Amino acid sequence: MCGIIGINGATEVCFDLLSGLKRLEYRGYDSAGIVTLYNGSFSRQRAQGKLVNLERKLKECPVPGNVGIGHTRWATHGAPTELNAHPHQGKHVALVHNGIIENHAELRANLKDVPFESETDSEVIVHLLDAYLDKGCDWGEAIHALLQDLKGAYALAILFKEWPDVLVGVCSGSPLVVGYGTEERLFLASDVVAFAPSCAEATYLEEGDWVELNKGQVTIHPKKALSTVTRPRVPISRDQECITKEGYQHFMLKEIMEQPTVLDRALKMYRTQDCQITKKYDWKQISSLSIIACGTSFYAGCVAKYWFEKIGRLPVSVDIASEFRYRDPTLLPGSCALFISQSGETADTIAALRFVKQKGIPCIGLVNVPESSIAREADSILQTQAGIEVGVASTKAFIAQLAILSALVVEIASLRGTIPHEEKASLQQDLMAISGLVTETLKLSIPLQTLAPRFGQSKTALYLGRGSLYPIALEGALKLKEISYIHAEGYAAGELKHGPIALIDDKMLIIVLAPYNDLFEKILSNVQEVLARKGQVVFFTDTHGMRALGQLESQITVYILPAVSPFLVPIVYTIPMQLLAYYVATFKGADIDQPRNLAKSVTVE
Ligand code: F6R
C-alpha cells in the first residue's frame, strides 16, 4: 500500500524525493512526508491528505541534505493525520514503513517510559532501534537485533543520525528495490516506477534481505544475517517512465480508451509466451485448477471458470485469496493453481501462492507487472502487458487478464482434446476480432454520459447477469462503488427472487447484461419481475436482443452493443460497465483516479 522512497547521493534530494513520491502516489494518498539528514540533524516535513499539501510546504520550506527518505501513506494503524504521517523519527533514527507490524502492541508495551508521538505500528520500530543504539550497538547490530523482534510484513527505509552516509532498506513480506542512478546516486523504493526516470538498472531485493546504500556502494545481507549476498542488477524497462494522461481528463478514461490496443498487445504477447505454459504441464493429466485472486482480478478468475469448464472440461475452483489462505484448503495431487494479479504485489495473493507452492502444486502467475513478487515467485508466468495502470479502479488490466485467459482456455481445451481443430480455429478467429468489437463498443461513451445524472442522484443499483456475465455484473457493481461511492450489488439474475427482489421499488436502478443467447428468455423473465415492482431497468443487449424485446422496449432504457460470440461476451460487456461508472463519478465530481480510502496496490492483508 504505502509508497517508500529513499535517495543517497552527492546532491540535494528534497525535490527528487517529492518526484518519486508523485510516481508512487497511486499506492496511498492519506498523508505524505519526507525527512533528510544534514549536518547531523533531521529535517522533516509532513502533511495530511494528498501530496500537493506536502509539495506546498516543501516549496515554502525545503529540507536540506543529500540523503533522505519519503513516504506516501495508506492508513492502517491510526487515522490519516499529520502526527501519524511518516517519516517517524526518534533520538537517533528516522524511518518510513510499508506493511504491518503484527506484534506492535506487545513491543510498545515493552518500551516503557518511551513517549510515543503517533498511533502507528511503525513508530515502535523507531524506538526499538533507538534503544539498541543507546545500548551501544552500531547501526548494523541494531538492525540485526530489530529483525529478531519484528513480526509481520514490512519494507523499511531508515536513516541514522550518527551514520550520515548510510541509507538502510529492509524488506520482509513487502517489496523493495534498489536503483542505480548517475554519479553514484542510489535509490531505494517500494516500486521501480518511483525512480525509473533516473536509473537504468535496478536490483530487486529478495524476501528478508536488508541493504546498505553508502557512497555509491550497495551491500545486501540475507534474511536476519550479517553475511552478504549478491543479487542481480537488471535493466529497467523504459515503459516504467511514461506515466501521462495523454490529453484525457483522468487516467481511468485514458486506460478505458486504450483497451483495443491493450487487447491486441496482450494477445500478441500470449502467442509468444503460451508455449511455456501449455508445454510445461501435461494438461490432459491436470485434474483441476484452483484460481486465486482478489477484487477485480478475482472476477477475471470467475469468468475463466465458466470458460475452462465449458470449453476445456477442466474443473475449476475460484477463491478470494484472503479466504483461501486461512481456510485450510484441500489441494489434490495432479491439480494446478493460477494466481491472478495486476500488481503482482497483493499481500493475500502472494501469501496464498507461497502456501500452494509449499504443497508442491505447480503455480502459474498471471500478472501485469513483470518484476513483481508474484512474477518472481510463481513457477511459470503469463504477462498481461497492459502497460502501467495508474487509475486505482482497474480497467485495462482486467480486459488484458480476460484476453490472456480466453486464449489460454482455447489452447488448453485443444490440448485436452475437448474441442475439435475447427472449433479451436473459430474461437481463435473470434479472439482476433475482439479488439475491433471493443473499439465499436467504446462509441457508447457518448450516449452513456446522458445516463450519469440518473445514476448520480441514486443511492443504490443492482447489476444482473447470467453465465459468464454474472462476474461482469459483479465487476460493474464494484466499479460503480469504488469511484462514485454509490452502493451497488452484482447478482446472478436467477438469484433475484431469492432475496434481492425485496429491495426493488421505483427508485432502484437495475442494470441488466443480456446479449441474445440461450439465456436471453430467462433474463427477460427477470426483467419482467423487476418491472412488475416498478424498478428502473437499463438494458445492455445486441440488435438481435433489441428486436426480441418487443413491447418491453418502451418500458426500459436500452443500449445496443455489437454482436459477439457467446465465448467473448464478458470482454465486450465490461466496456459499458466501466464507462458508466466513470461518467457517474465524473457527474458527481468524485476523485476518479484516487478514490477515497483506496490504494492501487494492497500490500497489507
Ligand atoms: C478494483 C481493483 C481491486 C484490485 C484488487 C487486486 O478496481 O483494482 O479490486 O483488483 O485489489 O489487485 P491485484 O490485481 O493487483 O492483485
Side-chain angles (χ1 to χ4, degrees):
M1 314 286 290
C2 312
I4 288 180
I5 178 140
I7 308 179
N8 193 355
T11 49
E12 291 284 320
V13 290
C14 175
F15 288 101
D16 294 332
L17 286 171
L18 184 67
S19 307
L21 289 181
K22 281 187 185 162
R23 297 171 71 83
L24 288 173
E25 202 178 9
Y26 73 89
R27 295 176 75 98
Y29 32 81
D30 289 337
S31 63
I34 68 175
V35 67
T36 50
L37 183 51
Y38 181 67
N39 266 352
S41 49
F42 292 128
S43 304
R44 180 170 65 167
Q45 283 286 18
R46 298 182 294 173
Q48 187 175 337
K50 299 247 168 95
L51 209 47
V52 287
N53 299 341
L54 177 67
E55 185 169 18
R56 214 170 291 130
K57 281 190 168 182
L58 288 172
K59 279 189 179 147
E60 274 169 26
C61 188
V63 287
N66 299 347
V67 59
I69 53 181
H71 188 269
T72 176
R73 179 169 188 245
W74 184 84
T76 57
H77 294 62
T81 59
E82 186 173 329
L83 269 187
N84 287 330
H86 298 222
H88 293 290
Q89 72 182 60
K91 199 165 128 197
H92 305 289
V93 303
L95 62 82
V96 289
H97 167 219
N98 174 29
I100 292 178
I101 304 303
E102 284 170 2
N103 56 341
H104 72 101
E106 183 192 326
L107 294 170
R108 195 184 259 245
N110 292 340
L111 286 161
K112 292 190 190 77
D113 306 326
V114 172
F116 274 81
E117 178 190 55
S118 75
E119 304 155 281
T120 64
D121 53 334
S122 316
E123 196 187 340
V124 82
I125 311 171
V126 171
H127 299 304
L128 281 172
L129 284 172
D130 271 354
Y132 286 122
L133 294 167
D134 275 340
K135 277 186 203 154
C137 293
D138 66 19
W139 72 264
E141 289 161 347
I143 293 282
H144 188 241
L146 172 83
L147 297 183
Q148 324 299 319
D149 296 335
L150 300 183
K151 286 197 189 120
Y154 47 88
L156 304 168
I158 311 168
L159 297 178
F160 295 86
K161 213 183 258 180
E162 285 79 17
W163 289 274
D165 295 330
V166 173
L167 166 59
V168 172
V170 180
C171 120
S172 179
S174 209
L176 212 50
V177 54
V178 175
Y180 304 85
T182 52
E183 292 166 14
E184 304 204 320
R185 205 174 205 216
L186 294 170
F187 294 74
L188 189 63
S190 37
D191 186 332
V192 72
V193 82
F195 52 65
S198 313
C199 301
E201 287 185 319
T203 294
Y204 292 88
L205 296 184
E206 293 189 11
E207 177 57 15
D209 283 355
W210 54 289
V211 62
E212 173 191 358
L213 312 186
N214 188 343
K215 292 189 178 149
Q217 290 294 319
V218 175
T219 312
I220 304 174
H221 306 271
K223 194 171 184 162
K224 295 186 180 172
L226 288 166
S227 55
T228 58
V229 279
T230 312
R231 306 282 182 224
R233 273 171 81 144
V234 294
I236 297 174
S237 143
R238 288 301 108 204
D239 289 358
Q240 302 282 359
E241 279 184 39
C242 44
I243 309 182
T244 66
K245 291 189 196 143
E246 286 167 21
Y248 287 99
Q249 201 186 343
H250 299 103
F251 278 108
M252 183 178 177
L253 187 59
K254 176 203 151 207
E255 288 162 3
I256 292 173
M257 291 302 176
E258 71 186 86
Q259 290 179 115
T261 317
V262 165
L263 278 166
D264 283 336
R265 192 168 54 222
L267 291 169
K268 194 165 160 212
M269 181 71 188
Y270 176 79
R271 288 194 287 277
T272 60
Q273 60 186 340
D274 66 334
C275 306
Q276 207 211 106
I277 302 291
T278 45
K279 301 224 166 72
K280 190 163 174 177
Y281 308 110
D282 182 354
W283 287 97
K284 263 196 168 152
Q285 297 306 319
I286 299 273
S287 55
S288 62
L289 178 68
S290 301
I291 301 182
I292 297 138
C294 298
T296 288
S297 297
F298 167 73
Y299 296 145
C302 295
V303 172
K305 176 179 167 72
Y306 283 90
W307 286 340
F308 273 114
E309 295 199 329
K310 193 173 176 83
I311 302 170
R313 310 307 303 153
L314 178 64
V316 173
S317 62
V318 194
D319 271 275
I320 294 169
S322 56
E323 288 298 312
F324 178 86
R325 61 184 286 203
Y326 292 114
R327 74 172 165 80
D328 198 9
T330 43
L331 291 161
L332 300 175
S335 64
C336 185
L338 172 65
F339 298 84
I340 308 176
S341 175
Q342 185 285 126
S343 61
E345 299 296 353
T346 300
D348 285 314
T349 312
I350 296 174
L353 164 71
R354 289 178 184 156
F355 171 85
V356 175
K357 222 175 144 178
Q358 230 178 26
K359 306 264 172 207
I361 304 287
C363 293
I364 304 171
L366 172 58
V367 294
N368 193 39
V369 181
E371 305 85 5
S372 60
S373 302
I374 292 180
R376 283 179 282 127
E377 293 188 34
D379 299 311
S380 352
I381 199 76
L382 284 162
Q383 289 185 40
T384 44
Q385 288 267 315
I388 295 177
E389 190 176 63
V390 178
V392 164
S394 185
T395 52
K396 64 174 181 171
F398 178 67
I399 283 293
Q401 288 165 351
L402 293 184
I404 297 288
L405 289 165
S406 57
L408 184 68
V409 164
V410 174
E411 203 70 35
I412 288 175
S414 166
L415 289 169
R416 288 171 66 82
T418 55
I419 50 169
H421 185 72
E422 309 77 65
E423 193 177 341
K424 178 183 178 190
S426 143
L427 291 172
Q428 281 176 332
Q429 221 166 356
D430 290 342
L431 267 172
M432 301 305 285
I434 193 69
S435 67
L437 294 178
V438 166
T439 304
E440 216 180 310
T441 312
L442 283 168
K443 291 184 188 147
L444 281 178
S445 180
I446 294 168
L448 278 172
Q449 290 176 37
T450 56
L451 251 192
R454 243 172 101 189
F455 273 74
Q457 279 141 21
S458 169
K459 289 205 166 18
T460 180
L462 267 187
Y463 285 67
L464 303 180
R466 296 190 83 121
S468 62
L469 283 178
Y470 164 43
I472 303 306
L474 294 168
E475 169 62 4
L478 178 63
K479 288 286 94 90
L480 190 72
K481 278 186 269 210
E482 278 184 296
I483 58 169
S484 71
Y485 319 136
I486 294 172
H487 176 253
E489 294 291 336
Y491 265 98
E495 273 290 290
L496 192 63
K497 31 186 162 333
H498 297 283
I501 200 162
L503 293 169
I504 294 174
D505 61 16
D506 58 353
K507 289 182 195 62
M508 171 70 92
L509 285 160
I510 296 103
I511 297 90
V512 183
L513 307 180
Y516 191 80
N517 60 22
D518 51 345
L519 293 168
F520 187 79
E521 291 302 330
K522 305 230 173 281
I523 211 156
L524 230 45
S525 309
N526 301 133
V527 169
Q528 296 280 16
E529 290 154 14
V530 169
L531 289 174
R533 283 145 189 98
K534 300 196 166 42
Q536 303 177 43
V537 175
V538 180
F539 197 79
F540 292 90
T541 188
D542 45 38
T543 39
H544 206 140
M546 172 76 171
R547 277 199 294 274
L549 277 173
Q551 302 244 308
L552 218 52
E553 190 202 324
S554 59
Q555 299 173 58
I556 61 182
T557 308
V558 184
Y559 288 91
I560 300 186
L561 278 73
V564 54
S565 85
F567 172 44
L568 295 178
V569 284
I571 296 183
V572 168
Y573 279 68
T574 296
I575 308 300
M577 300 303 100
Q578 300 170 336
L579 289 168
L580 181 60
Y582 174 78
Y583 287 118
V584 173
T586 313
F587 172 80
K588 291 189 76 180
D591 190 342
I592 304 232
D593 287 329
Q594 295 183 335
R596 72 183 181 205
N597 306 338
L598 294 177
K600 183 75 190 150
S601 161
V602 185
T603 56
V604 290
E605 71 166 296

PDB file of all heavy atoms in Angstrom, residues 462 491 495-506 508 510 529-530 533:
ATOM      1  N   LEU A 462     -28.566  -2.236  -8.766  1.00  0.00           N
ATOM      2  CA  LEU A 462     -28.363  -3.696  -8.856  1.00  0.00           C
ATOM      3  C   LEU A 462     -27.874  -4.027 -10.253  1.00  0.00           C
ATOM      4  O   LEU A 462     -28.407  -3.506 -11.237  1.00  0.00           O
ATOM      5  CB  LEU A 462     -29.701  -4.419  -8.677  1.00  0.00           C
ATOM      6  CG  LEU A 462     -30.154  -4.890  -7.314  1.00  0.00           C
ATOM      7  CD1 LEU A 462     -31.426  -5.728  -7.472  1.00  0.00           C
ATOM      8  CD2 LEU A 462     -29.093  -5.723  -6.614  1.00  0.00           C
ATOM      9  N   TYR A 491     -25.547  -9.403  -9.046  1.00  0.00           N
ATOM     10  CA  TYR A 491     -26.248 -10.664  -8.750  1.00  0.00           C
ATOM     11  C   TYR A 491     -26.350 -11.529  -9.985  1.00  0.00           C
ATOM     12  O   TYR A 491     -26.467 -11.014 -11.106  1.00  0.00           O
ATOM     13  CB  TYR A 491     -27.682 -10.379  -8.244  1.00  0.00           C
ATOM     14  CG  TYR A 491     -27.754 -10.342  -6.740  1.00  0.00           C
ATOM     15  CD1 TYR A 491     -27.717  -9.135  -6.060  1.00  0.00           C
ATOM     16  CD2 TYR A 491     -27.821 -11.520  -6.008  1.00  0.00           C
ATOM     17  CE1 TYR A 491     -27.739  -9.099  -4.675  1.00  0.00           C
ATOM     18  CE2 TYR A 491     -27.843 -11.489  -4.617  1.00  0.00           C
ATOM     19  CZ  TYR A 491     -27.806 -10.282  -3.966  1.00  0.00           C
ATOM     20  OH  TYR A 491     -27.828 -10.252  -2.599  1.00  0.00           O
ATOM     21  N   GLU A 495     -30.904 -15.350  -9.175  1.00  0.00           N
ATOM     22  CA  GLU A 495     -30.949 -15.242  -7.715  1.00  0.00           C
ATOM     23  C   GLU A 495     -31.882 -14.137  -7.240  1.00  0.00           C
ATOM     24  O   GLU A 495     -32.160 -14.030  -6.049  1.00  0.00           O
ATOM     25  CB  GLU A 495     -29.544 -14.934  -7.177  1.00  0.00           C
ATOM     26  CG  GLU A 495     -28.689 -16.156  -6.925  1.00  0.00           C
ATOM     27  CD  GLU A 495     -29.193 -16.966  -5.725  1.00  0.00           C
ATOM     28  OE1 GLU A 495     -29.076 -16.514  -4.584  1.00  0.00           O
ATOM     29  OE2 GLU A 495     -29.739 -18.061  -5.996  1.00  0.00           O
ATOM     30  N   LEU A 496     -32.337 -13.317  -8.189  1.00  0.00           N
ATOM     31  CA  LEU A 496     -33.122 -12.131  -7.831  1.00  0.00           C
ATOM     32  C   LEU A 496     -34.256 -12.459  -6.868  1.00  0.00           C
ATOM     33  O   LEU A 496     -34.433 -11.814  -5.840  1.00  0.00           O
ATOM     34  CB  LEU A 496     -33.682 -11.511  -9.126  1.00  0.00           C
ATOM     35  CG  LEU A 496     -34.284 -10.138  -9.008  1.00  0.00           C
ATOM     36  CD1 LEU A 496     -33.242  -9.130  -8.566  1.00  0.00           C
ATOM     37  CD2 LEU A 496     -34.899  -9.719 -10.338  1.00  0.00           C
ATOM     38  N   LYS A 497     -35.002 -13.521  -7.219  1.00  0.00           N
ATOM     39  CA  LYS A 497     -36.171 -13.781  -6.386  1.00  0.00           C
ATOM     40  C   LYS A 497     -35.830 -14.502  -5.076  1.00  0.00           C
ATOM     41  O   LYS A 497     -36.696 -14.748  -4.260  1.00  0.00           O
ATOM     42  CB  LYS A 497     -37.272 -14.523  -7.127  1.00  0.00           C
ATOM     43  CG  LYS A 497     -36.905 -15.476  -8.203  1.00  0.00           C
ATOM     44  CD  LYS A 497     -38.177 -15.962  -8.867  1.00  0.00           C
ATOM     45  CE  LYS A 497     -38.026 -16.589 -10.208  1.00  0.00           C
ATOM     46  NZ  LYS A 497     -36.926 -16.212 -11.022  1.00  0.00           N
ATOM     47  N   HIS A 498     -34.564 -14.774  -4.894  1.00  0.00           N
ATOM     48  CA  HIS A 498     -34.177 -15.420  -3.631  1.00  0.00           C
ATOM     49  C   HIS A 498     -33.776 -14.388  -2.580  1.00  0.00           C
ATOM     50  O   HIS A 498     -33.046 -14.698  -1.646  1.00  0.00           O
ATOM     51  CB  HIS A 498     -33.036 -16.403  -3.877  1.00  0.00           C
ATOM     52  CG  HIS A 498     -33.442 -17.515  -4.794  1.00  0.00           C
ATOM     53  ND1 HIS A 498     -34.218 -18.571  -4.387  1.00  0.00           N
ATOM     54  CD2 HIS A 498     -33.228 -17.704  -6.123  1.00  0.00           C
ATOM     55  CE1 HIS A 498     -34.443 -19.378  -5.410  1.00  0.00           C
ATOM     56  NE2 HIS A 498     -33.857 -18.869  -6.473  1.00  0.00           N
ATOM     57  N   GLY A 499     -34.169 -13.179  -2.764  1.00  0.00           N
ATOM     58  CA  GLY A 499     -33.858 -12.175  -1.742  1.00  0.00           C
ATOM     59  C   GLY A 499     -33.807 -10.742  -2.257  1.00  0.00           C
ATOM     60  O   GLY A 499     -34.622  -9.905  -1.854  1.00  0.00           O
ATOM     61  N   PRO A 500     -32.884 -10.430  -3.181  1.00  0.00           N
ATOM     62  CA  PRO A 500     -32.698  -9.017  -3.540  1.00  0.00           C
ATOM     63  C   PRO A 500     -33.926  -8.340  -4.137  1.00  0.00           C
ATOM     64  O   PRO A 500     -34.043  -7.118  -4.071  1.00  0.00           O
ATOM     65  CB  PRO A 500     -31.548  -9.054  -4.549  1.00  0.00           C
ATOM     66  CG  PRO A 500     -31.249 -10.468  -4.834  1.00  0.00           C
ATOM     67  CD  PRO A 500     -31.898 -11.314  -3.805  1.00  0.00           C
ATOM     68  N   ILE A 501     -34.870  -9.112  -4.634  1.00  0.00           N
ATOM     69  CA  ILE A 501     -36.072  -8.504  -5.224  1.00  0.00           C
ATOM     70  C   ILE A 501     -36.813  -7.651  -4.181  1.00  0.00           C
ATOM     71  O   ILE A 501     -37.512  -6.693  -4.519  1.00  0.00           O
ATOM     72  CB  ILE A 501     -36.981  -9.602  -5.841  1.00  0.00           C
ATOM     73  CG1 ILE A 501     -37.925  -8.995  -6.858  1.00  0.00           C
ATOM     74  CG2 ILE A 501     -37.692 -10.417  -4.785  1.00  0.00           C
ATOM     75  CD1 ILE A 501     -38.543  -9.978  -7.804  1.00  0.00           C
ATOM     76  N   ALA A 502     -36.605  -7.970  -2.911  1.00  0.00           N
ATOM     77  CA  ALA A 502     -37.246  -7.200  -1.843  1.00  0.00           C
ATOM     78  C   ALA A 502     -36.802  -5.737  -1.860  1.00  0.00           C
ATOM     79  O   ALA A 502     -37.498  -4.854  -1.373  1.00  0.00           O
ATOM     80  CB  ALA A 502     -36.903  -7.821  -0.490  1.00  0.00           C
ATOM     81  N   LEU A 503     -35.645  -5.470  -2.451  1.00  0.00           N
ATOM     82  CA  LEU A 503     -35.113  -4.099  -2.472  1.00  0.00           C
ATOM     83  C   LEU A 503     -35.774  -3.232  -3.534  1.00  0.00           C
ATOM     84  O   LEU A 503     -35.649  -2.005  -3.512  1.00  0.00           O
ATOM     85  CB  LEU A 503     -33.608  -4.139  -2.779  1.00  0.00           C
ATOM     86  CG  LEU A 503     -32.678  -4.748  -1.744  1.00  0.00           C
ATOM     87  CD1 LEU A 503     -31.294  -4.934  -2.330  1.00  0.00           C
ATOM     88  CD2 LEU A 503     -32.614  -3.836  -0.525  1.00  0.00           C
ATOM     89  N   ILE A 504     -36.415  -3.869  -4.490  1.00  0.00           N
ATOM     90  CA  ILE A 504     -36.824  -3.113  -5.679  1.00  0.00           C
ATOM     91  C   ILE A 504     -38.047  -2.228  -5.421  1.00  0.00           C
ATOM     92  O   ILE A 504     -39.068  -2.676  -4.908  1.00  0.00           O
ATOM     93  CB  ILE A 504     -37.056  -4.069  -6.868  1.00  0.00           C
ATOM     94  CG1 ILE A 504     -35.710  -4.689  -7.245  1.00  0.00           C
ATOM     95  CG2 ILE A 504     -37.674  -3.342  -8.072  1.00  0.00           C
ATOM     96  CD1 ILE A 504     -35.765  -5.746  -8.285  1.00  0.00           C
ATOM     97  N   ASP A 505     -37.896  -0.956  -5.773  1.00  0.00           N
ATOM     98  CA  ASP A 505     -39.011  -0.016  -5.788  1.00  0.00           C
ATOM     99  C   ASP A 505     -38.781   0.930  -6.958  1.00  0.00           C
ATOM    100  O   ASP A 505     -37.872   0.708  -7.767  1.00  0.00           O
ATOM    101  CB  ASP A 505     -39.128   0.739  -4.451  1.00  0.00           C
ATOM    102  CG  ASP A 505     -37.877   1.554  -4.135  1.00  0.00           C
ATOM    103  OD1 ASP A 505     -37.057   1.780  -5.065  1.00  0.00           O
ATOM    104  OD2 ASP A 505     -37.694   1.963  -2.986  1.00  0.00           O
ATOM    105  N   ASP A 506     -39.560   1.975  -7.069  1.00  0.00           N
ATOM    106  CA  ASP A 506     -39.476   2.828  -8.267  1.00  0.00           C
ATOM    107  C   ASP A 506     -38.190   3.658  -8.321  1.00  0.00           C
ATOM    108  O   ASP A 506     -37.902   4.307  -9.310  1.00  0.00           O
ATOM    109  CB  ASP A 506     -40.711   3.724  -8.384  1.00  0.00           C
ATOM    110  CG  ASP A 506     -40.896   4.609  -7.156  1.00  0.00           C
ATOM    111  OD1 ASP A 506     -40.149   4.418  -6.170  1.00  0.00           O
ATOM    112  OD2 ASP A 506     -41.782   5.479  -7.174  1.00  0.00           O
ATOM    113  N   MET A 508     -35.140   2.235  -7.574  1.00  0.00           N
ATOM    114  CA  MET A 508     -33.999   1.325  -7.766  1.00  0.00           C
ATOM    115  C   MET A 508     -33.611   1.211  -9.245  1.00  0.00           C
ATOM    116  O   MET A 508     -34.460   0.976 -10.105  1.00  0.00           O
ATOM    117  CB  MET A 508     -34.372  -0.053  -7.222  1.00  0.00           C
ATOM    118  CG  MET A 508     -33.398  -1.140  -7.523  1.00  0.00           C
ATOM    119  SD  MET A 508     -31.854  -0.954  -6.627  1.00  0.00           S
ATOM    120  CE  MET A 508     -32.186  -1.916  -5.170  1.00  0.00           C
ATOM    121  N   ILE A 510     -31.684  -0.859 -12.102  1.00  0.00           N
ATOM    122  CA  ILE A 510     -31.250  -2.250 -12.312  1.00  0.00           C
ATOM    123  C   ILE A 510     -30.589  -2.346 -13.685  1.00  0.00           C
ATOM    124  O   ILE A 510     -31.208  -2.084 -14.720  1.00  0.00           O
ATOM    125  CB  ILE A 510     -32.430  -3.241 -12.209  1.00  0.00           C
ATOM    126  CG1 ILE A 510     -32.996  -3.211 -10.798  1.00  0.00           C
ATOM    127  CG2 ILE A 510     -31.987  -4.674 -12.514  1.00  0.00           C
ATOM    128  CD1 ILE A 510     -34.233  -2.460 -10.676  1.00  0.00           C
ATOM    129  N   GLU A 529     -40.017  -9.322 -13.861  1.00  0.00           N
ATOM    130  CA  GLU A 529     -40.199  -9.333 -12.398  1.00  0.00           C
ATOM    131  C   GLU A 529     -39.826  -7.973 -11.805  1.00  0.00           C
ATOM    132  O   GLU A 529     -40.472  -7.474 -10.887  1.00  0.00           O
ATOM    133  CB  GLU A 529     -39.311 -10.412 -11.760  1.00  0.00           C
ATOM    134  CG  GLU A 529     -39.745 -11.842 -12.063  1.00  0.00           C
ATOM    135  CD  GLU A 529     -38.601 -12.861 -11.989  1.00  0.00           C
ATOM    136  OE1 GLU A 529     -37.510 -12.534 -11.457  1.00  0.00           O
ATOM    137  OE2 GLU A 529     -38.803 -13.972 -12.494  1.00  0.00           O
ATOM    138  N   VAL A 530     -38.784  -7.373 -12.362  1.00  0.00           N
ATOM    139  CA  VAL A 530     -38.342  -6.058 -11.877  1.00  0.00           C
ATOM    140  C   VAL A 530     -39.382  -4.994 -12.234  1.00  0.00           C
ATOM    141  O   VAL A 530     -39.774  -4.175 -11.395  1.00  0.00           O
ATOM    142  CB  VAL A 530     -36.970  -5.695 -12.489  1.00  0.00           C
ATOM    143  CG1 VAL A 530     -36.622  -4.246 -12.216  1.00  0.00           C
ATOM    144  CG2 VAL A 530     -35.877  -6.616 -11.951  1.00  0.00           C
ATOM    145  N   ARG A 533     -42.416  -4.554 -10.269  1.00  0.00           N
ATOM    146  CA  ARG A 533     -42.204  -3.871  -8.974  1.00  0.00           C
ATOM    147  C   ARG A 533     -41.710  -2.446  -9.174  1.00  0.00           C
ATOM    148  O   ARG A 533     -41.140  -1.833  -8.293  1.00  0.00           O
ATOM    149  CB  ARG A 533     -41.220  -4.688  -8.126  1.00  0.00           C
ATOM    150  CG  ARG A 533     -41.917  -5.887  -7.531  1.00  0.00           C
ATOM    151  CD  ARG A 533     -41.048  -7.109  -7.413  1.00  0.00           C
ATOM    152  NE  ARG A 533     -41.860  -8.264  -7.023  1.00  0.00           N
ATOM    153  CZ  ARG A 533     -42.327  -9.184  -7.893  1.00  0.00           C
ATOM    154  NH1 ARG A 533     -42.044  -9.110  -9.187  1.00  0.00           N
ATOM    155  NH2 ARG A 533     -43.088 -10.176  -7.476  1.00  0.00           N
TER     156      ARG A 533
END
